[in-house]
Amino acid sequence: MKFTVADLLNQLSTEHSSEPDQLAKILKLSNKTDRAALELAVSSLMKIGVIEKTSEGGLTQPQESDLIDARLRCSSKGFCFAIRDDGGEDIYIRDHQLNHAWNGDRVLVRVTREGGRRRSPEGGVQCILERATQSLLAQVEQQSDQLLASPLDDRVLAGIELPAEDSKHLPGDEVSSVVEVRIDRYPVAQHPAAGHVVRSLPLNGGPAADRDLLLTKVGLQDRPTAPRSSGKTPASKGRVDLTAQPSLLLKGWSQDDAPGLPAVHVEARDGGCRLWVHAPSVGERIGLGNSLDACLRDRGEALCLGEVWQPLLTPALHKATSFSAGSEADAISVRLDVSANGEVSDWEFMLSTVRPVAEVSADQLVALAERKPKGRSVPTALKPIKNQLGQLETLRFCSTLLLEQERANGIVQLDLCPPQLEALGDLCSADPSGLRHRWVDAFNPVDPHAFLQPLLRAADRAWTAQRLELQLPGITVEADEPDGSVLTDVAKTAIALDLPLELDDDGCPSASELVQVFKDSSQRRVLEQQLSHALPPLTLVASTEAPPAAADSDGDEVAASSRNSALTPWTCATQHYAHLVNQQVIVALLTDAKDRPTVRHKTRLKLGLKGAGADLTWPLFTASQDEKLNGLVNERTVQRLNTRRRQVLELEKDLLSMIQARSAQTLIGEQVEGRISGVQSYGFFVEVGESRVEGLVHVSSLNDDWYEYRSRQNRLVGRKNRQTYQLGDAVQVRVINVDVLRNQIDLEVISQGSNGSTEPESLAPESSEPLPVALSER
């Protein structure tokens, strides 16, 4: 079909009916075959109650439904869960209730059994809204008289039939390649899935081949073709001239095709500082719904592939919007007043023209950190920015002020930076937006993006408060609260490691409290890794209405709400389409909104200034302008961006794992020291080498004793010799095998008698652990 069920339902309302011919026109279904497919889809959806037909023959969605919109997540062990879009409890789906749905598919689920204290609710898939897999990596196998593609991703629980001509891709004695298989038919009724081989991909073809392999694995190998447009030229009227301001470009990325970054300027003021953040004005150049906008929306965000980028912006748009030292450029700017305790007390948004004076690199920050405090000589690396050294120190002061305030407000800060491997390229630097994970990165004085992160989040918080006060739409970044039971498990791990922590009847400690307990521990990294798995991921949400807190005219309640729950990011529009949408709303406010009730009034309201909503008594926009703004922020766009976000995070994780696995190939047969980073009933994981690659010591290789798994203490315990292997322990291991394709490293312990600790004989063994009630895979 040329459309998905999700496409169809997006055109239907619960209040207004739509005619079938109108739907066909919107979905661009012109021939008889496509219209017949629409009729079949409508008929099927009516049978399961997803669509209703009115007495006049129109189609609507029911006002109430027991079907739940969710995304399917399966494990290689056969556990499948429907992850709800509304943040509700995950629903367990048994294999016979999948109804041919695959991992990653958007589905409608009906709950068949309510959950209990330690049991998830169960349900069944009623309808597949949208398929997540159009192509996949596989190996070709001959089974009897049938040629099949066996997916490498063992979460896809199906084989795909292939035509006979694809037998040329059958592997020889040694597997040196895999194939990309395009799905031609998804499984339906008694018919299995069918597809064909698109191409063969080598397993040892070098870094470029590895990148191509991983892009194909996550479904990002087909990049939308971009128009050769740099967009509209921003208007010069109404811009604030800030070209005399010595703003700085903090650039941690080294690749030429990396996204452009904001410029910043700071001055010490009243014990705090006055900060300016200047973001490249991409939003001014994009017209809603044109071909350039559609291309950027499909791309979603820029992809960092280590030493190569796939940018969000087209080359012409990148050139037109990126800042460079000594050159004038259009910007969207915000002035922030930061008090001595890190509170942002005032702000003002504006369209501006800027001219950055210098770029600051990671090498220069290293030289600055190594420079003696009272040294008179200026290191060679710092001479190009010697006039800006004072401002750099003030920037560091401002960043630490804002970070301290964020921690006071309960934000979770973890020190989980990736290993500094040359092959990782730009992935070694922190994400400048600081909104990639549920936690924020610990401050690193030699990473330019570590300086930027708190500054950009402060700018995002200011716009969040301004947007809510003026009741403007936006795409927000939100996260659910961590599961208390999971945090309790992390706390129990800390207690087992003799950290100063107590659990009481009032509940588990918060994530930020756990971080404070971990910070002085020698096992800090492994504990923070455990905690990171307990933090729910960030998601994008379409926000079109202001919550009740926005009614507070002084903005304090709004600011507190935005700090603790959601942010409306806008500073990295060169990197994320969601930021670009929010920039377009800012531009509309500063250029199109009414700043006075009528032309007869001489006094104009500064709409970009904090507290502007207190004096606002008239509509900001006309009805058509309101409709246009709300069209920018819609559920369908946000769903696509969330899907792309998951793909990008999986890609980055796979890329890091493959580079680590490649580095571990040179260690095969060698003895290395590592630290236990995770313990399971089937063995324990060990981080080894400078790459911090993680390998598995399987319990079957511990042949000196029978080992029991103690989940509460995160340890394996020998029944006879009381030998223990516990989270955080240092161990000597040998690298046995490296499977680069599956990112699996097999290890064995060198000396079992001298590395682990010994447990008292009086410790009674625990009973066997129950089967998991929620999906949790390493």
Side-chain angles (χ1 to χ4, degrees), residues 6 36 53 131 136 172 201 235 270 276 281 288 357 365-366 417 423 464 530 566 639-641 673 690:
K53 181 175 286 188
R131 290 286 188 176
L136 46 76
L201 295 165
D270 299 333
W276 280 267
S281 186
L288 176 63
V357 296
L365 290 183
V366 171
C417 61
T464 304
Q530 296 287 317
Q639 287 171 351
R640 287 180 173 176
L641 293 177
E673 183 175 0
E690 294 182 359

Side-chain angles (χ1 to χ4, degrees), residues 295-331:
C295 169
L296 301 183
R297 183 174 62 249
D298 289 342
R299 289 184 173 185
E301 59 183 274
L303 305 182
C304 181
L305 304 176
E307 298 175 331
V308 176
W309 280 84
Q310 287 191 359
L312 168 67
L313 305 185
T314 65
L317 188 56
H318 172 78
K319 182 178 179 180
T321 57
S322 295
F323 295 158
S324 60
S327 300
E328 290 189 13
D330 297 312

